[in-house]
Amino acid sequence: MIEDFFFSNPYLFVFWECLGALLGVTFFALALGDSWKISLSAGVMAFFGWGIYTSTWQKIGIVPAAFLSSAFIAWCAQEGSRILKGPVTLFLIPALASLVPGMQLFQMVVGFITGDSGLANTKMMETLSLALSIALGVIMVEALYIMKKGIVDRIQKRNASRF
């Protein structure tokens, strides 16, 4: 009876998935040698990133959902690196691990091994699309931060030259 409550409720099911992303990414970051503070921060980023992905993929598709969640994680990684004074990659690499299209890649390999070229080609395109959308989300946020830094520097130079 209790199992029905925890696993039949779609909101709690998403919560359990997000909790799994938090724990998995936190311990993955610890295995990579990050500190507890950075590892837990990356885990929280993965928690919310996976929540965005799972709550939007049925409505808008898996590729745009992966783009949105990777952009959110990249934004959080940028902010976290400035707050906790660490490199962005320490936050970004573990937090994005929850979005890696492993199931699609596995199904693609199964299709190639069994000779089902239709499945293999479909899953290959899906895997490449997901990987590209994740990369574009990260690149877009990085470009926005670079542009923001350039604009802020120009404004500071202009204000400093006036006085």
Side-chain angles (χ1 to χ4, degrees):
M1 178 180 247
I2 194 83
E3 301 91 23
D4 293 336
F5 174 73
F6 284 115
F7 295 115
S8 65
N9 187 338
Y11 299 110
L12 280 177
F13 191 71
V14 169
F15 173 76
W16 291 120
E17 286 184 352
C18 292
L19 190 61
L22 181 136
L23 292 174
V25 165
T26 300
F27 288 111
F28 175 62
L30 285 171
L32 290 177
D34 293 348
S35 68
W36 267 102
K37 189 171 21 172
I38 290 176
S39 299
L40 191 59
S41 300
V44 170
M45 291 173 201
F47 179 90
F48 289 109
W50 187 254
I52 290 170
Y53 179 75
T54 56
S55 62
T56 58
W57 75 270
Q58 290 183 337
K59 297 173 186 78
I60 62 174
I62 59 172
V63 174
F67 175 79
L68 286 176
S69 59
S70 68
F72 174 78
I73 289 172
W75 174 73
C76 288
Q78 290 284 343
E79 292 299 320
S81 71
R82 283 155 178 76
I83 293 169
L84 296 175
K85 308 287 189 229
V88 177
T89 55
L90 288 182
F91 300 94
L92 192 61
I93 291 172
L96 286 176
S98 61
L99 296 178
V100 172
M103 182 183 70
Q104 291 84 359
L105 188 61
F106 175 77
Q107 291 174 342
M108 177 190 75
V109 171
V110 166
F112 280 127
I113 290 172
T114 60
D116 188 358
S117 62
L119 174 70
N121 289 332
T122 302
K123 292 303 175 179
M124 181 174 63
M125 292 308 296
E126 198 173 300
T127 303
L128 292 174
S129 299
L130 283 169
L132 184 63
S133 68
I134 292 168
L136 287 176
V138 171
I139 290 169
M140 182 196 71
V141 169
E142 185 69 29
L144 290 174
Y145 267 87
I146 290 171
M147 287 184 346
K148 176 186 142 192
K149 184 180 182 305
I151 291 169
V152 168
D153 287 348
R154 272 190 257 137
I155 290 172
Q156 288 175 347
K157 281 182 184 177
R158 189 176 336 152
N159 289 342
S161 66
R162 287 182 185 174
F163 298 109

